[in-house]
Amino acid sequence: METYTGKLRKIIYRNEDFLIASLVSDQEMTIKGSIYGVEQGEELTVYGQWEHHPKFGKQLAVERWERPIPQTEEQVIAFLASPLVKGCGEKRAVQIVDHLGPNALQRITDEGEDCLLPIKGIGPQKAQKIVGSVKSTFEVQRIMAELLVYGITANMVTRLYKEYGSNTAEVVKSNPYKLTELKLIGFLKADEISKKIGISPLSGHRIDACVDFVLKEKCFNGGHCYLPEDELIQETQRILNHNTDKKVSVEEVAQSLYRLEDKKLVMEDGCVYPKYLYQYEKELARKLSEMGGSREGEAMPSIEKRVETLIKAYQMQHNIVLAEKQREAIRTLFQEQIMILTGNPGTGKTTVIRAMLDIYKQMYPAHEVALAAPTGRASRKLAEVAGHEASTIHRLIGYRAGEEPDFNESCPLPHQLIIVDEMSMVDVPLASLLMNAVRMDAKVLFVGDVDQLPSVNPGNVLKDMIQSGLPSVKLTEIFRQAQESQIITNAHRVNQGLPLLIDESKSDMYFIYQEDPERIAQLTVRSALRFRELGYDTADILILSPMKKGPIGTQNLNERLQQALNPAHQTKKEWKVKKVIFRVGDKVIQTKNDYSKDVFNGDVGMIKDVTQVTNDEGERVDVLVCDFMGKEVVYPKEELSHLQLAYAITIHKSQGGQAPIVIIPVSTSHYIMLARNLVYTGMTRAEEKLVFIGTKKAMNIAINNDKISQRNTRLAQRISVIETVEAGKVKTYLKGAIFK
């Protein structure tokens, strides 16, 4: 490890924890690393390893650093007067040193606020700020030196210090699994650190952390809301007893469940939930139960008559004849508070939504109507087809991560009708937050295709709501125009477990047969280039792969497609972030909800520029500018982890969006992901042309694999239809069956 001491000459880039700067020492150099709270002009000692940076050349990657403790009165005054110490200017610094002497910093660290309060003009609040600043400045480097030997990085120490302050080292050494609570590392890495520290394999902290890890890991990877108690105990015991002589017993794991009950988990009838998922599922079931099935009572005959009149008028005005199921759906909307509308492609969901909106507005012209979908792409598509403004569910309820939504039970949404599209994508937490924000007298229409992939996160809300007995209408008739589309007819065949039937005389669907995954990747790129030659834009072409890795995984395809569709050129600006190049003209996808930028997970855009802007501190900083459907979004370098190349994306990521051209590679090399609902979901993204490239064998495996993994939820079970008599009238509503 190299060591250098020098003054920080210039800060090139910084965020809350990370810094790139130039250091003046015996040689001019740039340094980078997790360096907390340093300022320009400070003297630092840095320890690290040399590496090559594409922009800055030879650079020292800092593993740890120290700020030399001031020794003389002048050094102490200069330190106290620096921006590092909050609540203290130069005049105050002189006062403190005059009162406490040259060892002022040591006294402040040892005695705290008490030694400052006798000084004129320093009250309790100011004293607290000064003490906090001084302690944090020197404590962090002491704690780093103490914890780095266990494999805890400087970045982790910085985050831990913000949480635990001067007790950081003691907290971590007594329970290194605290690192997992702050999501700094996972359980397995924390277990390695625990061994280095010398924590017993039978430690209650270790067992509790493993239970929490297994429960969350299994729930999120499998889309479950709970795990059976036996399965959780068995899997936890397997992980704890791997590679150790001291074995944890079943009883000790069971004891951990009871320790964590009501803190991190909830146990119910042999089911173990992460606590927050239990609360969301229970609250969602309660609200659906209270609203679902509620009817208008004696007003129904007059409403029904008015609805029938308006349906006839709508058909005449638009010169269409609605199918019986479509008319049934419209009637049901006016009979029920909660309604579910489902149907496969070509069955007229869009047509009936337009009719519902038109008729509802005529019935209730003063009512407010909201349309929403789980992603930005899905909401824009809904707005286009419905001819009405739509938003994401997050924006509708005013939800920002970690905060209470703006609209909730005590402050409900003002809308009397809410239509939610792409409901198969909605997980239990989001559905619960949405329903919590809905007023009790509102109508909610859920729209979705139950045969598509379920939500990425826990739950199977659309399917569970249908199973629970909530009012629902399924459109089944495929209209003549849709029947002419090979994409739609074959999507229905796949959904029924039937093989593809492709008419080569038509130009909307192709299957290019190829066995070798490497050749499949090459043909995928060539197909994309061919569509570009035919006049389609890069944004019109969507390549969907079941997986991220492998020759036809999204990572490899994105590299190849970028080189082919948007090659490097001296006129094109680009950034390299880790192994990924972001170049002007690239197609990208947002991977996290960002409410401040108004972009959401799944939004697809194009990189328009790599430039510089002036930040709030008046400094010029490099940024990437992306265009998302006409909206410019600016990304500084540290936020590029929220972007990925999107020439090829996973089928899961494609939900809620469509494109004129869809290309899907299919190979037995992706055997684990070959499933009917995956292929069906990918096919239904195509608007004009669909191309499969791969093997018949892989396609037939997928079509025949309808074993959709069962998700552990109790939402449907919590809801049952009952009748009560109120004031001599029968009122139908739903009530949770297993609320406690």
Side-chain angles (χ1 to χ4, degrees):
M1 188 187 295
E2 303 275 349
T3 306
Y4 293 90
T5 298
K7 280 201 173 182
L8 206 64
R9 183 176 71 83
K10 182 183 178 186
I11 294 174
I12 299 163
Y13 162 79
R14 82 186 308 164
N15 66 16
E16 194 176 2
D17 295 326
F18 196 79
L19 179 108
I20 296 177
S22 58
L23 190 76
V24 181
S25 62
D26 54 337
Q27 61 174 290
E28 181 79 12
M29 71 177 83
T30 59
I31 59 172
K32 74 164 188 178
S34 184
I35 304 176
Y36 174 68
V38 296
E39 299 294 336
Q40 204 161 293
E42 275 198 79
E43 189 160 301
L44 298 178
T45 299
V46 294
Y47 305 81
Q49 305 287 347
W50 287 108
E51 62 177 39
H52 183 78
H53 188 279
K55 182 174 180 180
F56 302 112
K58 193 177 179 185
Q59 183 177 60
L60 191 74
V62 178
E63 293 181 14
R64 66 185 181 91
W65 62 278
E66 292 175 1
R67 180 184 280 119
I69 297 175
Q71 302 296 324
T72 67
E73 285 193 8
E74 291 77 13
Q75 287 174 339
V76 174
I77 289 169
F79 171 75
L80 288 171
S82 74
L84 291 168
V85 182
K86 294 179 175 66
C88 186
E90 189 171 350
K91 187 178 175 183
R92 188 80 65 208
V94 172
Q95 274 183 296
I96 292 170
V97 173
D98 285 347
H99 184 79
L100 299 178
N103 65 338
L105 297 180
Q106 191 63 53
R107 287 193 62 187
I108 290 170
T109 302
D110 294 342
E111 300 171 33
E113 290 94 330
D114 291 344
C115 69
L116 296 174
L117 291 174
I119 300 171
K120 188 178 178 182
I122 299 182
Q125 204 169 8
K126 192 162 282 189
Q128 191 177 21
K129 279 185 180 178
I130 294 169
V131 171
S133 299
V134 171
K135 278 188 173 182
S136 66
T137 298
F138 297 108
E139 274 183 343
V140 169
Q141 63 191 49
R142 173 185 62 78
I143 293 165
M144 276 185 189
E146 198 170 342
L147 295 180
L148 284 172
V149 294
Y150 301 118
I152 298 171
T153 66
N155 185 41
M156 290 182 206
V157 172
T158 301
R159 292 276 307 279
L160 287 161
Y161 185 80
K162 290 174 186 175
E163 186 73 19
Y164 301 115
S166 56
N167 296 323
T168 297
E170 290 73 22
V171 167
V172 172
K173 279 157 63 173
S174 64
N175 181 9
Y177 301 98
K178 288 284 185 185
L179 290 158
T180 64
E181 292 178 14
L182 297 180
K183 298 180 180 174
L184 297 175
I185 54 175
F187 171 80
L188 299 177
K189 181 66 179 173
D191 216 28
E192 287 177 24
I193 292 169
S194 176
K195 284 177 187 174
K196 291 177 184 175
I197 291 173
I199 302 293
S200 166
L202 304 180
S203 159
H205 291 315
R206 179 173 183 254
I207 300 170
D208 290 354
C210 192
V211 167
D212 188 51
F213 162 73
V214 171
L215 183 59
K216 288 177 179 171
E217 190 85 352
K218 288 278 187 181
C219 283
F220 277 88
N221 287 348
H224 304 304
C225 289
Y226 70 84
L227 284 186
E229 186 177 341
D230 291 346
E231 183 183 332
L232 175 58
I233 290 173
Q234 185 180 357
E235 182 62 14
T236 301
Q237 194 185 18
R238 185 189 68 78
I239 291 173
L240 288 170
N241 291 338
H242 178 69
N243 254 352
T244 181
D245 295 330
K246 294 183 179 178
K247 303 297 183 186
V248 177
S249 68
V250 169
E251 291 73 20
E252 285 169 312
V253 178
Q255 199 60 40
S256 172
L257 296 184
Y258 294 114
R259 273 199 304 273
L260 295 173
E261 191 168 12
D262 295 330
K263 294 175 186 171
K264 291 190 173 182
L265 55 85
V266 172
M267 298 170 70
E268 178 187 77
D269 303 333
C271 306
V272 185
Y273 284 81
K275 186 177 179 180
Y276 81 99
L277 282 178
Y278 175 80
Q279 291 168 337
Y280 278 133
E281 185 183 271
K282 187 177 171 184
E283 281 304 300
L284 175 58
R286 179 189 64 81
K287 190 65 175 278
L288 289 170
S289 299
E290 289 173 356
M291 289 181 65
S294 180
R295 291 171 175 266
E296 301 286 346
E298 70 276 5
M300 282 305 299
S302 60
I303 290 176
E304 286 176 356
K305 189 175 179 181
R306 173 84 170 130
V307 168
E308 289 301 326
T309 302
L310 290 173
I311 289 173
K312 288 175 185 174
Y314 182 86
Q315 291 179 118
M316 289 181 67
Q317 182 186 351
H318 294 274
N319 196 27
I320 60 171
V321 177
L322 295 170
E324 176 51 37
K325 277 287 182 183
Q326 290 178 314
R327 295 196 295 273
E328 181 189 334
I330 296 168
R331 294 183 199 110
T332 306
L333 177 71
F334 292 94
Q335 294 166 355
E336 310 287 352
Q337 265 193 278
I338 299 283
M339 179 195 161
I340 302 161
L341 176 67
T342 66
N344 299 138
T347 56
K349 291 198 298 289
T350 299
T351 300
V352 79
I353 290 171
R354 285 198 196 114
M356 284 172 163
L357 275 170
D358 187 283
I359 293 168
Y360 187 88
K361 286 174 183 176
Q362 291 185 64
M363 288 280 289
Y364 306 108
H367 281 195
E368 289 194 47
V369 178
L371 274 64
T375 67
R377 274 184 305 161
S379 67
R380 284 190 288 272
K381 178 185 150 196
L382 177 61
E384 287 169 16
V385 300
H388 188 287
E389 183 184 346
S391 72
T392 63
I393 297 171
H394 297 84
R395 179 157 291 283
L396 177 67
I397 64 176
Y399 175 71
R400 290 163 293 278
E403 298 180 25
E404 174 80 5
D406 296 337
F407 294 98
N408 49 56
E409 196 163 29
S410 57
C411 179
L413 290 161
H415 310 92
Q416 284 89 358
L417 172 64
I418 298 169
I419 299 175
V420 187
D421 197 12
E422 297 289 355
M423 197 60 200
S424 63
M425 297 173 65
V426 179
D427 54 55
V428 162
L430 185 57
S432 184
L433 290 171
L434 170 64
M435 288 308 298
N436 196 41
V438 174
R439 52 193 280 177
M440 285 301 299
D441 61 346
K443 287 182 182 292
V444 184
L445 170 64
F446 297 113
V447 183
D449 184 343
V450 78
D451 295 313
Q452 283 190 26
L453 293 168
S455 58
V456 174
N457 289 327
N460 204 350
V461 177
L462 180 62
K463 186 177 177 184
D464 286 348
M465 288 195 303
I466 294 168
Q467 283 185 349
S468 74
L470 284 165
S472 64
V473 175
K474 182 172 183 179
L475 304 178
T476 53
E477 183 180 336
I478 305 173
F479 290 93
R480 185 169 55 82
Q481 188 177 355
Q483 287 174 352
E484 293 171 4
S485 163
Q486 289 196 97
I487 298 169
I488 290 176
T489 54
N490 275 298
H492 282 268
R493 288 183 65 82
V494 166
N495 204 29
Q496 294 159 20
L498 300 172
L500 299 177
L501 279 181
I502 299 176
D503 183 347
E504 293 181 3
S505 68
K506 294 186 177 180
S507 61
D508 61 343
M509 188 170 173
Y510 306 89
F511 202 122
I512 301 171
Y513 298 106
Q514 178 55 240
E515 294 277 344
D516 179 42
E518 182 61 30
R519 286 283 295 140
I520 292 172
Q522 291 171 8
L523 286 167
T524 300
V525 174
R526 282 175 57 187
S527 296
L529 281 168
R530 179 61 182 146
F531 281 117
R532 275 272 294 269
E533 290 167 5
L534 291 170
Y536 287 95
D537 192 72
T538 300
D540 297 331
I541 305 165
L542 186 60
I543 289 97
L544 301 180
S545 177
M547 295 179 76
K548 293 179 181 177
K549 296 185 178 176
I552 56 171
T554 57
Q555 291 172 355
N556 182 51
L557 287 176
N558 270 317
E559 289 179 19
R560 288 171 176 254
L561 288 159
Q562 183 187 49
Q563 290 168 15
L565 300 175
N566 189 32
H569 193 273
Q570 59 187 13
T571 61
K572 289 182 184 176
K573 299 176 188 173
E574 63 180 46
W575 271 355
K576 186 169 184 180
V577 181
K578 294 183 179 177
K579 294 181 179 179
V580 181
I581 293 171
F582 292 99
R583 184 177 296 138
V584 171
D586 277 340
K587 188 178 181 183
V588 290
I589 186 169
Q590 175 79 10
T591 59
K592 287 187 179 179
N593 292 332
D594 190 326
Y595 307 96
S596 62
K597 287 182 167 54
D598 196 27
V599 285
F600 299 91
N601 186 6
D603 283 355
V604 174
M606 304 293 290
I607 298 176
K608 291 298 179 187
D609 200 4
V610 176
T611 184
Q612 284 194 330
V613 296
T614 304
N615 66 12
D616 294 339
E617 282 131 27
E619 299 169 329
R620 298 290 288 171
V621 293
D622 293 329
V623 295
L624 199 74
V625 181
C626 291
D627 182 299
F628 288 92
M629 301 289 289
K631 176 177 59 187
E632 279 198 355
V633 180
V634 175
Y635 292 85
K637 227 166 202 175
E638 66 269 21
E639 292 178 5
L640 286 188
S641 59
H642 299 172
L643 278 184
Q644 290 176 0
L645 293 176
Y647 296 101
I649 61 176
T650 63
I651 294 174
H652 280 91
K653 282 283 185 190
S654 73
Q655 281 184 275
Q658 285 186 297
I661 308 295
V662 170
I663 303 169
I664 305 177
V666 283
S667 166
T668 50
S669 65
H670 282 171
Y671 185 85
I672 193 170
M673 294 297 287
L674 294 175
R676 184 185 297 176
N677 61 348
L678 200 74
V679 171
Y680 171 78
T681 301
M683 292 177 74
T684 54
R685 303 307 95 204
E687 294 173 325
E688 296 177 20
K689 296 182 188 295
L690 171 64
V691 181
F692 283 109
I693 304 174
T695 69
K696 271 186 178 178
K697 181 181 178 182
M699 177 59 75
N700 289 334
I701 289 170
I703 292 171
N704 291 320
N705 178 16
D706 65 340
K707 291 178 181 148
I708 299 166
S709 57
Q710 186 64 37
R711 292 192 166 195
N712 299 333
T713 84
R714 303 188 87 195
L715 181 61
Q717 193 177 342
R718 291 183 192 279
I719 303 168
S720 64
V721 179
I722 61 172
E723 287 186 342
T724 63
V725 177
E726 291 184 12
K729 289 176 286 191
V730 174
K731 182 178 180 182
T732 304
Y733 66 107
L734 293 135
K735 194 73 175 174
I738 53 174
F739 294 131
K740 288 188 177 179

